[in-house]
Amino acid sequence: LTFNSPDKHLGGRTSGGYSESIVVNEHFVLRVPSNLNLAAAAPLLCAGITTYSPMHHWGVTKSKKVGVVGLGGLGHMAVKFAHALGAHVVVFTTSPGKKEDALRLGADEVVVSRNADEMKKHAGSFDFILDAVSADHDINAYINLLGIDGNLTLVGAPAEPLRVPAFGLIMGRHSLSGSMIGGIAETQEMLDFCGKHNITADVEVIPIQKVNEAYERLLKSDVKYRFSIDMASLKSE
Amino acid sequence: LTFNSPDKHLGGRTSGGYSESIVVNEHFVLRVPSNLNLAAAAPLLCAGITTYSPMHHWGVTKSKKVGVVGLGGLGHMAVKFAHALGAHVVVFTTSPGKKEDALRLGADEVVVSRNADEMKKHAGSFDFILDAVSADHDINAYINLLGIDGNLTLVGAPAEPLRVPAFGLIMGRHSLSGSMIGGIAETQEMLDFCGKHNITADVEVIPIQKVNEAYERLLKSDVKYRFSIDMASLKSE
């Protein structure tokens, strides 16, 4: 692997994305559009492609109604992409406090998922829902929001198996699927899309000395929405 | 509804498929190919379209690997369709005794699903699996048999919610979906396909006097594979 594997050429361990310079096969090199801030572009290679790929695969385009469940590192990218693709974007969150930020990121509506009445208003209406929640939650509440041929894709993986009533899928030919990052060609396509629409992640740049503190904050979801490490800080050690 | 609703024109209740003659809107009339036996064609309008529609929707064609879980009324139609579409057909059953019949119906292979070793041989290899089992069962055992972009469609509805581990869907971009009968246009397409390939259901024709006995046998899965009632028997009352 690129990171933490034996280095076949120089000995020692490989440093992956922490490397100052790196030699790779040209098939695995990506071009970052020059108008994008590099610190804010870094998460595109994980949170970006993870959310872009399933939207692309399941046909999110102009006029589609798209839901995003969970507004974190993945979710905030999903909102930006769905908005840029011209979809009507609805963010589902358990935190009413995230409403303003969701709208700023490009959401057209925000639903507090604990409010059953608000949820009910959207029953049977979504073309696509991206679920970025890793905590256990009621997936059927979202399956019921899908319209005919609607798809719900998981990019978060709750520890416990999801409980899925068959009828929620049978009625309306709904589908439930998963997705994981994407290939090189699609990642380049995503980066080019970001360049064209001036999309990057919202990042908080930290020096590497604060990496443990950042990890603690990450566990409390205390970041909007990704940490990006300034590797120049390593030299000030 | 066509059956057991107030008859707006003649009074009384509507008799649906039990009617001797019926007046319907021309948009809802289907043409049964003349080469098909009518008693054996009857189940095509339910078990037939229920299994044909998802295969059509999810792209079952020549050279695809297709699984059919459960060999009953729905499953035996699925095997016939998948075989006629040119797919490599694998039947999963809990009953080793059904092997011979599965092969006769068009299966290329039969797997006894209780045999973990047999199941393992097919890991990650299916393009499409149709699950026609209404009893509670381990759906993840079948999700794990899907290849990249593979789909598993439920046409049976177990009473308890299915337990679906997220990673089974995330790895390989698998999808789990449901399907329910089909529209008029697709039903006609299915009937025409049956006419061309000389496909009907395997039926046991009974007089209406035996309908209660047939119901008891149905509960024990003691029918290969659908009962068809000879309505002429009603006149001999």
Side-chain angles (χ1 to χ4, degrees):
Chain A
L1 295 174
T2 316
F3 180 69
N4 202 25
S5 288
D7 189 319
K8 284 182 282 187
H9 305 289
L10 302 176
R13 314 289 295 180
T14 54
S15 301
Y18 299 104
S19 308
E20 200 161 297
S21 62
I22 188 169
V23 177
V24 293
N25 183 307
E26 62 183 335
H27 296 307
F28 300 98
V29 173
L30 292 159
R31 185 181 58 252
V32 177
S34 57
N35 59 317
L36 301 182
N37 175 284
L38 285 178
L44 297 178
L45 301 170
C46 184
I49 185 61
T50 298
T51 51
Y52 179 90
S53 177
M55 288 199 199
H56 185 236
H57 181 72
W58 292 98
V60 171
T61 51
K62 203 168 160 56
S63 86
K64 299 277 177 156
K65 186 171 175 183
V66 170
V68 175
V69 187
L71 194 64
L74 292 171
H76 96 291
M77 286 311 307
V79 173
K80 292 186 182 199
F81 285 133
H83 176 71
L85 287 162
H88 181 84
V89 186
V90 182
V91 166
F92 296 92
T93 175
T94 51
S95 325
K98 287 192 176 172
K99 183 163 182 172
E100 206 174 314
D101 221 29
L103 296 172
R104 175 185 65 80
L105 292 163
D108 296 286
E109 298 180 60
V110 181
V111 171
V112 176
S113 53
R114 286 174 180 154
N115 185 327
D117 284 343
E118 275 193 62
M119 291 290 279
K120 211 171 168 183
K121 275 182 210 157
H122 292 274
S125 68
F126 282 88
D127 296 294
F128 179 77
I129 298 176
L130 192 86
D131 187 332
V133 175
S134 312
D136 292 325
H137 60 293
D138 177 13
I139 196 73
N140 199 44
Y142 295 101
I143 290 174
N144 288 337
L145 302 187
L146 295 173
I148 289 175
D149 282 333
N151 169 269
L152 189 160
T153 289
L154 308 167
V155 288
E160 288 296 308
L162 303 161
R163 289 172 59 83
V164 182
F167 262 106
L169 297 175
I170 289 173
M171 304 302 287
R173 194 161 59 184
H174 299 153
S175 65
L176 172 67
S177 59
S179 189
M180 197 172 186
I181 55 169
I184 288 294
E186 199 178 38
T187 302
Q188 186 61 59
E189 180 189 312
M190 178 273 303
L191 286 171
D192 293 344
F193 182 85
C194 288
K196 189 176 164 197
H197 295 273
N198 215 20
I199 292 174
T200 51
D202 284 17
V203 295
E204 180 178 338
V205 179
I206 56 163
I208 200 158
Q209 290 77 8
K210 292 208 170 171
V211 72
N212 288 325
E213 185 187 315
Y215 183 74
E216 292 301 323
R217 285 179 53 199
L218 205 59
L219 295 179
K220 292 181 288 185
S221 304
D222 176 23
V223 56
K224 284 183 176 175
Y225 281 92
R226 277 286 190 248
F227 288 113
S228 201
I229 302 171
D230 178 4
M231 290 310 293
S233 60
L234 194 56
K235 298 214 169 144
S236 70
E237 276 288 284
Chain B
L1 297 175
T2 317
F3 179 70
N4 202 24
S5 287
D7 188 319
K8 284 183 283 188
H9 305 288
L10 302 175
R13 314 288 295 180
T14 54
S15 301
Y18 299 103
S19 308
E20 200 160 297
S21 62
I22 188 168
V23 178
V24 294
N25 183 308
E26 63 182 334
H27 295 306
F28 301 97
V29 173
L30 292 159
R31 185 181 57 252
V32 177
S34 58
N35 58 317
L36 302 182
N37 174 286
L38 285 179
L44 296 178
L45 301 170
C46 185
I49 185 62
T50 297
T51 51
Y52 178 89
S53 177
M55 288 199 200
H56 185 235
H57 181 71
W58 292 97
V60 171
T61 52
K62 202 167 161 56
S63 86
K64 299 276 177 159
K65 186 171 175 183
V66 170
V68 175
V69 187
L71 194 65
L74 292 171
H76 96 291
M77 286 311 307
V79 172
K80 292 186 183 199
F81 285 134
H83 176 71
L85 287 162
H88 181 85
V89 187
V90 181
V91 166
F92 296 92
T93 176
T94 52
S95 325
K98 287 192 176 172
K99 183 163 183 173
E100 206 174 314
D101 221 30
L103 295 172
R104 175 185 65 80
L105 291 163
D108 296 286
E109 298 180 60
V110 181
V111 171
V112 176
S113 53
R114 285 173 181 154
N115 185 326
D117 284 342
E118 276 194 62
M119 291 289 278
K120 211 171 167 183
K121 275 184 212 156
H122 292 275
S125 68
F126 282 87
D127 296 295
F128 179 77
I129 297 176
L130 192 85
D131 187 332
V133 175
S134 312
D136 292 324
H137 60 293
D138 176 13
I139 195 73
N140 199 44
Y142 295 101
I143 290 174
N144 289 336
L145 302 187
L146 295 173
I148 289 176
D149 281 334
N151 169 269
L152 189 160
T153 289
L154 308 167
V155 289
E160 288 296 308
L162 303 160
R163 290 172 58 82
V164 182
F167 262 106
L169 297 175
I170 289 174
M171 303 303 288
R173 194 160 60 184
H174 299 153
S175 65
L176 172 67
S177 60
S179 189
M180 196 173 187
I181 56 169
I184 289 294
E186 199 178 38
T187 302
Q188 186 60 60
E189 180 190 311
M190 178 273 304
L191 286 171
D192 294 344
F193 182 85
C194 288
K196 190 177 164 197
H197 295 273
N198 216 19
I199 292 174
T200 51
D202 284 18
V203 295
E204 179 178 338
V205 179
I206 57 163
I208 200 158
Q209 290 77 7
K210 292 208 170 171
V211 72
N212 288 324
E213 186 187 315
Y215 183 74
E216 293 301 323
R217 286 179 53 200
L218 205 59
L219 296 179
K220 292 181 287 185
S221 304
D222 176 23
V223 56
K224 285 183 176 176
Y225 282 91
R226 277 287 190 247
F227 289 113
S228 199
I229 302 171
D230 178 5
M231 291 309 294
S233 61
L234 194 58
K235 298 214 168 141
S236 69
E237 278 287 285

